Every structure is written in C-alpha cells, then in structure tokens.
Amino acid sequence: MVKISYMIGNGLDIHFGLHSKYTDFYAWLEQNPKKYKDNNLISDILTNIYAKEIDKTKKENWDELTDWSDFEKELKKNLEFISKNENAIEIASRRVQELEEVSLLLREYLQNEEKKLKPLIEFNSELSTSSLSAPFLKLPPNHIALIRERLYNSFKNYPANKSSSSINFINFNYTSLLQEYIQTMKTVYVSNISDILDSQSFEINNTIYYPNGDFDDSPELGIGTEMDIPEGLFLSQDEIDYVSKESFARRRMDYRLDKIIDSIKTSDIIITYGLSLGESDALYIYHIVSTLIANKDATAIVIMFDENYRKSNHGLRYFRKLDEIRTKIEKNYQHINSSENNDDIDVKTILKSRLLVLFDNGVKSENDPATMTYFPFKEVKNVNSKNSK
C-alpha cells in the first residue's frame, strides 16, 4: 500500500479564519477575568504580555519578558525557573493544577470561536479533493520525478504496494474543522502520483488521530516528553503524566500514540501543514526523520507559512529559510535521539535530499478563499439565509 500521512498544525485553523493563536486566547483571558481566580500561571502570562500597559516603568526591561506566543516553549522555561526555587515542590504542584485550568479555559475559548466561525465558512468535496493534490502540483518537476522514482523502487521490492493506497490525518489541533473538511471525501485522485498506481484513487481514512486530544477528549497543554521536565521539581507520577504530552497520550490507553507513530513509520510520503515544528512536538518530528533514515524511498514535504514568499523568490533569503527549517527539524530529532548512538548517520544529507519544503503565503485571487492553493474553502456571504434552510 502507498500511504500518505498529513500532519496538521494550528496553521490550518488559522487558515480557515479561526482566532486560535495563543495571543488571541490571552486577549480573551484579559477581557474575562471572572473566568479564572487566583491562577498564578495566567497572572504571569498576562503580566508579561501586557507589562508595557500595566507598568510603564517595565518598558526598559521589555526584552527580559516573554510574550508567551509559544506556550509550550515558555512553559518549559517557566518550570526550569521554578525548579531552582527552594519551594519548588510546592510551587510546581500548584502550577500543574493551574495548567489544567488553563487547558479547560482554552477549550472553552476555542469552542466558542469555532461556533462563531462555522456559519461563515463552507466546505465541499470538490474543493477539498483538489486541495490534497496541491503539494504535488507545487513541487518542481525534478522533485516530483524523485518521488515517483522512489515509489517505483518500493514497487520492485513490494509489488503489492502498487495495488492500493490511502491518506491518513494526524491533527495536532483540538477543533473539528479538519474533520468537517474531509468528511465528504471517500477517495481522491492525487495529481502526479495516482497515475502510477493500479488503483488510482487514494482512500481517505476519516478516522483522524489527535495526539493532544480534542474537545470531547480532555484537550491538553503541556511540554513534549517526560525527559523535558526539569530535574528538581519532584512531581508525582500523575502530575508528570499530565505535564508531559507523550505520557498523557499514553495514559488515555487507546494506543493512539502507537497508532500515530506506526502511521508515520509506514508512510511513503509524510506532509506537514501549519505545524510549528516546535520542541513540544519533537517526538513526532523525530519519527519523521527516523522514517527517512530507515526507508530510503520515503519522502517528507513540509509546508510552511511565509507571507513574503513569491514563486519567483529563489534567492539567498529562500536558501536561508530552507536551512533554518531543516536545522530546526534536525535539532528536534537530536533532542529525542540524544540517548542513542547514531554517529554514522548523516542526518543533514538525508534531510537535504528527502525533506522537501514548500511555502504558503496565503495569497488568494480576488480575495476569494476558494482560490487558495492549500485547503481552499468557501465563505458564506449570507449567514441568515444559510441558517434558514
């Protein structure tokens, strides 16, 4: 079986118009102080973000503050700071409880935002189907030729792979927008790929994997793995399992983590869209790279938002951007791989040849989202008429 796995990050929800950035959430918290009480984590976040407004004297020390736009990264730094406190055990335990409250408030906020957004957008199978071919239409011909050659090589070793194909989704968001987007699709013809298969339609797996949970499944905020929890906190195992995203996923006892890792490891093509590639998701990035190492016929395609990108832009800035992305991915791989001895593996060369990068500048013709290259959709102009049907 030829398998494509899409790994979807918050960039997709933002793409659809959802106000799902952490900074949007913090603004909502600032406007709704009655939603929380005596939560020092929220107080720390808002104090840092709005320091200039709260106390003009802090302006000169602004560089020492953080805007918490990358919540998981700043949470880890915050826990490292707490671990050096003489009352670390007590403070850290309280912080975990505060973290759970923030997670519940984030769920409430996103549920409200999604409820407001849904009447304003419309997904249909025609637009959805065409969007899954977009990466293979945007890649230069030489890259497509390489992907096809790798698939042909896999067919030589496993001829049966040519007879079936599937597309799977791993969603790092809590929302249902991706589910709504693909729910009408059963099969799809993937441009530049389907024609070399016996069965030219990829089956869509409508069972989406949610590493971090969804609205009905205890969505969780936290840091990557147990190894990321600073020494000196001395948390209970329950608290550790809550703070660590990996441990929390395993505690759900539905084998989702194993299924996600298996999906990545058995994929011929792995595509990420709207994924920040941050350290909190390093475990999954590690398995992407590990797949490329283990399977010389596998390919990864990373789609990153870059508002300044233009098709004709292939100069120095473009090269630096590519290097920055690959370096970030390698760093996350090495972060998880630190306990293993793989000095003989040239990760840089593997990423350079088999991790392809595409940029999405979000530009749409005539301000029409139905003309977007990636994940096009329709805006509903008359909300009342739609609701009256």
Side-chain angles (χ1 to χ4, degrees), residues 208-229:
I208 298 174
Y209 299 125
Y210 290 88
N212 304 323
D214 58 20
F215 288 151
D216 299 323
D217 182 35
S218 302
E220 182 233 11
L221 287 170
I223 58 181
T225 67
E226 190 170 329
M227 64 181 284
D228 293 313
I229 297 176

Side-chain angles (χ1 to χ4, degrees), residues 72-87:
E72 291 85 357
K73 177 182 177 181
E74 299 307 331
L75 176 64
K76 181 179 177 181
K77 289 167 62 176
N78 185 256
L79 291 176
E80 288 172 347
F81 177 78
I82 291 173
S83 71
K84 297 176 175 61
N85 192 293
E86 60 180 15
N87 296 319

